[in-house]
Amino acid sequence: MEKTSASRAFGGVQGVYKHRAKTTDCDMTFAVFVPPHNEGQKLPVLWYLSGLTCTHQNVMDKGEYRRKAAELGLIVVCPDTSPRGERVPDEPDNWQFGSGAGFYLDAKQPPYDRNYRMRSYIADELPDLIAKHFPADMTRQGIFGHSMGGHGALTLALGNPGQFRSCTAFAPIVNPMEADWSKPAFEKYLGADESDWRAYDACALVADGARFDQILIDQGAADGFLESGLMPWRFAEACAQAGIDLTLRMQEGYDHSYFFISTFMDDHLNWHAERLK
C-alpha cells in the first residue's frame, strides 16, 4: 500500500492511498480519515460509497464529514467507484457505464468480469487492508453512500448479513433493475438473465428475504432524477411489507448535489455512531 497524501484535519489525518487490488486486477485508490484517538484504541469504521462519475475525491472535497467524524471517533473510508486503467474496458463517452460506474457489483460478462468486481473489493479485499493498516475495529462497521453509492450501501448491507451494523443512504438507486440509468449497465455487466440482477437490487433483495434492522434514507424532493432513476417509494413499499424499520425523509427543495449531502451529513454520522458504539 502506498500513501499518496496525508493532511491534518480536526486533530485527525485525512489520507489517500493506492494499492494493487487482486479482485479488480488494477491499481485502486481510496481515502481514509482517521480521527484523533489514544494509542492502541480501536475505532468503528464507516464506509462511504460515491455515485456515478465520482471517485474517492468528491466526498473528500465536498462532503464536510471530518469535523463530525472527529467528534464521534469514526474512521471514514471512501473507496473509488470502479476499476480504472489502460487495460480496463470502458466506454469513455458513456457516463452511466464503465469507469466511474461500477455499480458495486461483480460482473459476469466478458470483458468486464476480469476487472469490474467492486462488490468483492468493497466487501472483502479492502476491509482486510483497512484492518491491517489502520486502528479499525472491524466488528463495528457501518456503510452509507450517495445515488449509485446509496444503491451499493443498501445492497452490501442487505447481502452481507452480520458485516455491517448500520446503513444509511442519500438519494439511492433502490430499484436499478428498472431505473433508466442502470438497467443497460446491468445487462452489460451481468447478462440478459434478470434473475442474476436481483442480488444487486435493494427492492429485489428485500422481496427475496434479505433483512436489515434499521435504515435511514434522505431524498431531495427537488431531485431531477427522482421519478425515473431513484424511486424511493418502491423501497419503502418493500420494507413495509417485510417489516424493515425504514426512515425515509423527503427533504423539500433539495436536489441531487453535494449541497444536499453536506446538509444532512451530520445526521447520518450521528445515526451510525449511535449504532456503532
Side-chain angles (χ1 to χ4, degrees):
M1 188 181 75
E2 174 189 350
K3 182 191 296 181
T4 62
S5 69
S7 301
R8 196 77 172 163
F10 300 104
V13 176
Q14 176 67 71
V16 178
Y17 307 87
K18 182 166 69 174
H19 74 117
R20 182 72 181 183
K22 294 180 180 179
T23 47
T24 60
D25 192 27
C26 66
D27 290 339
M28 296 294 293
T29 301
F30 62 95
V32 181
F33 175 70
V34 179
H37 61 284
N38 298 323
E39 186 175 354
Q41 183 181 4
K42 294 289 187 177
L43 305 171
V45 178
L46 182 56
W47 299 82
Y48 178 89
L49 307 185
S50 290
L52 286 164
T53 75
C54 293
T55 70
H56 66 283
Q57 190 77 37
N58 298 74
V59 70
M60 278 180 56
D61 291 348
K62 297 179 285 189
E64 301 183 24
Y65 59 86
R66 279 173 288 267
R67 181 189 295 273
K68 178 59 73 171
E71 174 189 321
L72 297 171
L74 295 172
I75 293 175
V76 181
V77 182
C78 308
D80 201 348
T81 53
S82 61
R84 299 176 193 270
E86 292 182 0
R87 295 173 54 251
V88 177
D90 189 19
E91 293 184 9
D93 296 328
N94 183 0
W95 64 276
Q96 297 174 337
F97 184 78
S99 238
F103 280 97
Y104 303 101
L105 52 74
D106 284 352
K108 298 180 65 175
Q109 295 296 305
Y112 309 109
D113 54 343
R114 177 175 178 175
N115 304 106
Y116 286 86
R117 302 183 66 237
M118 289 300 295
R119 182 190 182 105
S120 291
Y121 176 69
I122 300 295
D124 301 318
E125 183 171 3
L126 191 53
D128 288 346
L129 202 66
I130 298 299
K132 181 178 179 180
H133 293 283
F134 298 92
D137 180 356
M138 304 306 286
T139 68
R140 293 187 289 161
Q141 295 185 71
I143 190 165
F144 69 149
H146 170 232
S147 194
M148 179 185 74
H151 139 77
L154 293 173
T155 56
L156 278 159
L158 289 164
N160 293 273
Q163 183 169 356
F164 301 102
R165 290 194 189 183
S166 57
C167 177
T168 70
F170 301 100
I173 307 172
V174 300
N175 192 195
M177 293 177 63
E178 301 297 334
D180 58 2
W181 56 0
S182 48
K183 192 171 182 178
F186 270 40
E187 184 165 0
K188 292 177 185 178
Y189 286 135
L190 300 170
D193 185 355
E194 293 191 8
S195 65
D196 292 331
W197 302 10
R198 297 184 69 82
Y200 305 108
D201 183 296
C203 290
L205 279 165
V206 171
D208 292 345
R211 297 292 181 265
F212 203 84
D213 287 343
Q214 295 178 311
I215 298 171
L216 167 66
I217 291 177
D218 272 314
Q219 171 64 61
D223 191 321
F225 301 111
L226 182 60
E227 298 293 332
S228 62
L230 303 173
M231 303 176 288
W233 51 86
R234 295 190 178 185
F235 190 61
E237 291 170 1
C239 288
Q241 292 176 8
I244 295 174
D245 184 359
L246 171 67
T247 300
L248 172 59
R249 307 192 305 186
M250 298 300 297
Q251 305 292 359
E252 291 299 323
Y254 285 91
D255 58 17
H256 199 69
S257 72
Y258 267 90
F259 297 111
F260 156 63
I261 296 168
S262 61
T263 299
F264 300 102
M265 178 62 76
D266 282 6
D267 289 355
H268 285 244
L269 293 173
N270 284 326
W271 174 285
H272 289 282
E274 179 65 26
R275 289 153 182 80
L276 297 176
K277 284 182 180 177

